[in-house]
Amino acid sequence: MEVKILSAKFKLKNANKITVAKKHGAYATLGKLFAMKPEDVIEEVKKSGLRGRGGAGFPAGVKWGFLPKNTGKPIYLAVNSDESEPATFKDRYILVKDPHMLIEGIIICSYAIGSHETYIYIRGEYTTQVRVLQAAIDEAYAAGYLGDSVAGHDFKLNVTVHRGAGAYVCGEETALLESIEGKKGQPRSKPPFPAVAGLYGCPTIINNVQSIASLPFIIDKGADAYKVYGTEKSPGTHLFGISGHVEKPGMYELPLGLPILEVIDKVAGGVWKGRKLKGIIPGGSSTPVLLPEEAQDVTLDYESMAAHKTMFGSGGIVVLDETVDIVALVKNLIDFYHHESCGQCTPCREGLGWMLKIIKKILRREGSMDDVLLLRELCDNIEMKTVCVLSAACTMPVRSYLDKFRHEFEAYVQDASASAQVKQE
Amino acid sequence: MSDRSQLISTGKPFQYDKERDAEFERLIKRYPTRESMILPSLWLIQEQEGWISQEAIAYVADRIGTFASKVYEAVTFYTMYQLHPMGRNHLCVCRTLSCWLRGKQEIVDYLKNELGISPGQISEDGRFSLEEVECLGHCGTAPVVQVNGEFHENMDVAKLKALLAKLQ
Ligand SMILES: Cc1cc2nc3c(=O)[nH]c(=O)nc-3n(C[C@H](O)[C@H](O)[C@H](O)COP(=O)(O)O)c2cc1C
Ligand code: SF4
Ligand code: FES
């Protein structure tokens, strides 16, 4: 089932070094690129159907088309390498195993959108990764692929790495821009969208690492070759991260559209220790959970996930075996999002705090059915009433657990009322 | 959000060493505004000293030409900036979903017992500090412990024991 488009060089030794990478085709598309008109590059990417791999799945070429023309302001590219959504661990393979593919993608994107300044926003925890990435950028400068004249063409491009420092919310694109500007990572209200007024108030495109790294293949081989993989509406391949209770967790490149259960069984070796499947988180911790029976006809693409009222997200699949305590899992999730709230919206800052208090109470077996219902009500009251969707990234999955595993919450509160009864007597 | 409002004074002026000074000058050319240097400057301090003092914040504000309150805003928001000295070996255990599913609690319990400290504390001899952190982006090889910036994957108690013995 596995394919090797993005991961073609991952198994090669030292493919992070420019000499090795070049021997295996790195930067080979640049001749073709600079012979094309920028608008033709955008057209080709639109035709490929490439969708943003940061989670929302917005078509990359279409987003680039939103840039206003001739504003007289510089256009910025920000590459999102924050990779902080729990269960997501794909982009770092690109950073470490094939950083020149990313740099080549940055050149392609910059040329297409007319940008001469790129910032790669990388999460602060990626200490070893940032060293490899920076070394690759230095090599690209020395070899003339970055700097005043990219590959000898009349095109200037600077790439600067900007390190975050432990804030999940900075993966949100406008928080990311604030962070580059030196501020605390608090998302901006939209509109205006970054394409119109982004970094330093200038038109800005933000794309995920994997989105950008997909570009060399598309320009080199053409949109049609890319669309050979995946489905009609979700073309191409994706670096899926499979974690949790499987025999062979790991990162696997697969075409979109494969049946999720088959992937878990055949690619990731199935549920570990011969245990039974309890649930699947399909695309990072913020995506609603799927029950095994619901997952029967789910395929790994944006449309199938939406049809099953969940999301493709970041492609971080988490497998839960029969032993998982769902109430404890929900506490772990709420804890995360509450901790990462930037604090500017009351429903998020306070609401997630209340959700945490309630779930802890239920876990201590001191909760009542009213608490379970209140938790559910809070989800509805918080969602979509905030500046960014971090709060929804918490409430959407929590609601799914409350609805699909209600009996587990009930068991906790029944225990509570039983022990209260004992005390009374 | 956690309370990170307290700054510690060393009583001594702060200055970048030569290498960091050069890096500051290289980076500042890359941004159209000087305030974009706030995060990179704080990283340079932390690389040099291991943590960020009140004097270092004043130094950076001065050097960038901005208000100390702007630097304070950033340093207190971003949790990876350490506002007090850490142990010589700083251990971060991932506490999030995939690591939780694959046994992070066993790792934390072992460390608490072995080091005699809880997450957020520093051992008395200054050899270790322990922290529980959120997803480290290595969920496929959970549970994960980051020690002085290096990732240790597929951790278990036996591996942890061997690792601790090597850390001075
Ligand atoms: C709270 C939050 C966290 C996010 N974290 C990330 C992230 O770590 N990496 C990422 O690429 N996108 C992340 N996103 C999505 C970005 O806002 C943005 O949609 C994406 O980077 C756009 O790139 P793409 O179109 O190539 O996917 C996050 C969004 C939110 C609301
Ligand atoms: S929803 Fe939460 S994280 Fe997003 S802007 Fe509001 S407070 Fe900040
Ligand atoms: S959940 Fe621990 S590294 Fe992602």
Side-chain angles (χ1 to χ4, degrees):
Chain A
M1 288 185 178
E2 283 183 76
V3 288
K4 302 238 172 297
I5 304 297
L6 289 160
S7 58
K9 298 203 249 346
F10 286 7
K11 287 256 158 65
L12 280 177
K13 223 177 138 198
N14 294 329
N16 61 314
K17 296 275 188 295
I18 198 164
T19 44
V20 179
K22 276 189 72 176
K23 227 180 267 164
H24 292 87
Y27 301 108
T29 57
L30 296 187
K32 186 173 173 186
L33 175 76
F34 286 108
M36 291 169 81
K37 288 206 208 87
E39 51 271 30
D40 295 340
V41 178
I42 298 185
E43 219 29 66
E44 195 68 20
V45 173
K46 272 189 193 159
K47 229 175 85 188
S48 77
L50 172 67
R51 298 174 65 163
R53 304 299 197 214
F58 195 81
V62 176
K63 177 158 37 180
W64 301 354
F66 291 155
L67 284 169
K69 301 233 164 6
N70 306 319
T71 61
K73 290 181 182 169
I75 294 167
Y76 291 107
L77 171 64
V79 179
N80 195 339
S81 187
D82 198 51
E83 186 147 88
S84 305
E85 163 91 352
T88 310
F89 54 100
K90 60 185 180 68
D91 296 337
R92 82 179 151 85
Y93 285 90
I94 296 171
L95 303 178
V96 170
K97 304 276 186 198
D98 199 356
H100 291 288
M101 173 170 65
L102 177 64
I103 299 169
E104 190 173 0
I106 288 172
I107 298 170
I108 294 168
C109 178
S110 300
Y111 177 70
I113 65 175
S115 167
H116 303 285
E117 215 64 63
T118 295
Y119 296 98
I120 303 178
Y121 190 90
I122 183 169
R123 60 178 306 185
E125 293 85 346
Y126 278 178
T127 46
T128 48
Q129 292 79 4
V130 76
R131 283 200 287 275
V132 180
L133 175 65
Q134 186 60 54
I137 292 171
D138 294 345
E139 282 183 329
Y141 268 102
Y145 291 114
L146 294 175
D148 286 337
S149 129
V150 172
H153 296 271
D154 182 20
F155 188 77
K156 184 183 157 189
L157 179 59
N158 276 318
V159 175
T160 306
V161 177
H162 194 90
R163 290 182 71 196
Y168 161 73
V169 71
C170 287
E172 197 279 341
E173 54 188 16
T174 56
L176 182 150
L177 300 179
E178 291 283 299
S179 189
I180 296 176
E181 292 181 6
K183 300 176 207 150
K184 53 182 186 269
Q186 292 194 321
R188 302 174 183 169
S189 297
K190 289 172 266 190
F193 289 94
V196 177
L199 190 58
Y200 309 114
C202 299
T204 303
I205 291 296
I206 298 125
N207 272 126
N208 170 261
V209 165
Q210 196 194 327
S211 312
I212 296 290
S214 302
L215 298 173
F217 181 90
I218 292 169
I219 296 307
D220 184 31
K221 302 281 196 306
D224 290 334
Y226 189 70
K227 282 160 71 175
V228 165
Y229 303 95
T231 69
E232 196 198 330
K233 287 188 175 149
S234 299
T237 71
H238 193 93
L239 303 179
F240 288 95
I242 309 182
S243 66
H245 295 154
V246 287
E247 286 291 346
K248 292 190 295 174
M251 192 284 295
Y252 302 97
E253 181 173 12
L254 305 168
L256 281 86
L258 295 175
I260 194 167
L261 289 177
E262 218 175 304
V263 166
I264 290 170
D265 268 346
K266 300 216 170 98
V267 178
V271 183
W272 72 345
K273 302 180 179 177
R275 289 187 192 155
K276 282 221 290 278
L277 179 65
K278 182 166 192 170
I280 305 168
I281 303 171
S285 66
S286 63
T287 57
V289 68
L290 288 166
L291 296 171
E293 55 272 25
E294 293 175 302
Q296 291 303 327
D297 60 341
V298 172
T299 50
L300 289 168
D301 54 82
Y302 298 94
E303 288 66 37
S304 175
M305 293 297 174
H308 289 83
K309 299 203 164 47
T310 183
M311 285 176 305
F312 183 84
S314 62
I317 302 169
V318 187
V319 173
L320 310 175
D321 78 15
E322 55 188 323
T323 67
V324 175
D325 178 340
I326 295 293
V327 180
L329 180 145
V330 168
K331 188 240 160 202
N332 188 280
L333 275 186
I334 299 176
D335 224 347
F336 172 81
Y337 290 98
H338 173 248
H339 182 261
E340 298 301 327
S341 167
C342 84
Q344 69 174 324
C345 319
T346 310
C348 175
R349 182 189 64 239
E350 304 299 325
L352 300 189
W354 277 107
M355 286 174 69
L356 186 59
K357 280 196 184 110
I358 296 167
I359 194 80
K360 280 183 173 167
K361 184 179 170 199
I362 296 172
L363 259 182
R364 287 196 309 269
R365 298 182 198 277
E366 291 167 10
S368 65
M369 205 51 216
D370 282 347
D371 290 311
V372 177
L373 297 176
L374 183 59
L375 202 54
R376 181 68 171 70
E377 200 182 313
L378 274 167
C379 291
D380 296 342
N381 285 338
I382 293 168
E383 207 164 301
M384 299 308 168
K385 295 182 175 69
T386 52
V387 169
C388 88
V389 293
L390 182 143
S391 59
C394 182
T395 54
M396 289 185 306
V398 169
R399 184 189 292 116
S400 75
Y401 295 105
L402 281 167
D403 291 351
K404 296 180 185 180
F405 294 97
R406 178 62 63 98
H407 53 283
E408 295 207 13
F409 293 85
E410 283 170 1
Y412 265 92
V413 299
Q414 269 152 17
D415 278 3
S417 59
S419 66
Q421 196 104 38
V422 171
K423 266 187 220 153
Q424 285 253 312
E425 286 162 8
Chain B
M1 288 199 309
S2 52
D3 181 24
R4 297 168 45 81
S5 59
Q6 300 303 313
L7 298 183
I8 296 177
S9 158
T10 59
K12 284 183 294 214
F14 172 86
Q15 210 178 331
Y16 282 137
D17 58 22
K18 242 179 143 169
E19 188 192 331
R20 267 91 193 182
D21 207 82
E23 183 64 2
F24 181 97
E25 290 305 323
R26 180 186 82 85
L27 281 171
I28 201 157
K29 293 191 192 76
R30 290 301 186 83
Y31 297 101
T33 69
R34 295 184 70 89
E35 272 160 14
S36 276
M37 276 305 288
I38 292 178
L39 269 72
S41 305
L42 290 169
W43 275 121
L44 290 174
I45 301 171
Q46 186 150 313
E47 270 170 37
Q48 183 176 312
E49 304 291 325
W51 66 290
I52 298 170
S53 67
Q54 194 174 333
E55 285 81 2
I57 288 171
Y59 171 86
V60 156
D62 212 38
R63 180 125 183 206
I64 293 173
T66 188
F67 298 110
S69 59
K70 294 222 165 170
V71 183
Y72 178 80
E73 170 185 310
V75 83
T76 51
F77 181 84
Y78 296 96
T79 52
M80 283 187 79
Y81 293 131
Q82 304 295 355
L83 299 178
H84 50 77
M86 307 305 290
R88 286 196 299 285
N89 299 290
H90 186 51
L91 282 67
C92 298
V93 185
C94 172
R95 59 159 291 276
T96 320
L97 188 61
S98 306
C99 289
W100 177 78
L101 288 169
R102 306 261 323 193
K104 74 95 190 167
Q105 199 52 46
E106 207 184 327
I107 305 280
V108 176
D109 290 345
Y110 175 78
L111 286 173
K112 273 163 81 169
N113 202 18
E114 198 64 21
L115 311 180
I117 51 174
S118 292
Q121 294 181 330
I122 306 169
S123 66
E124 239 163 68
D125 58 2
R127 189 170 156 212
F128 294 106
S129 45
L130 179 62
E131 204 178 343
E132 274 191 280
V133 297
E134 304 296 352
C135 177
L136 286 167
H138 286 62
C139 333
T141 41
V144 184
V145 183
Q146 199 178 17
V147 182
N148 304 328
E150 300 287 329
F151 289 95
H152 299 268
E153 304 165 67
N154 291 315
M155 285 310 276
D156 55 34
V157 166
K159 279 166 109 176
L160 209 49
K161 213 178 228 167
L163 178 66
L164 289 185
K166 276 192 274 174
L167 300 171
Q168 274 323 299

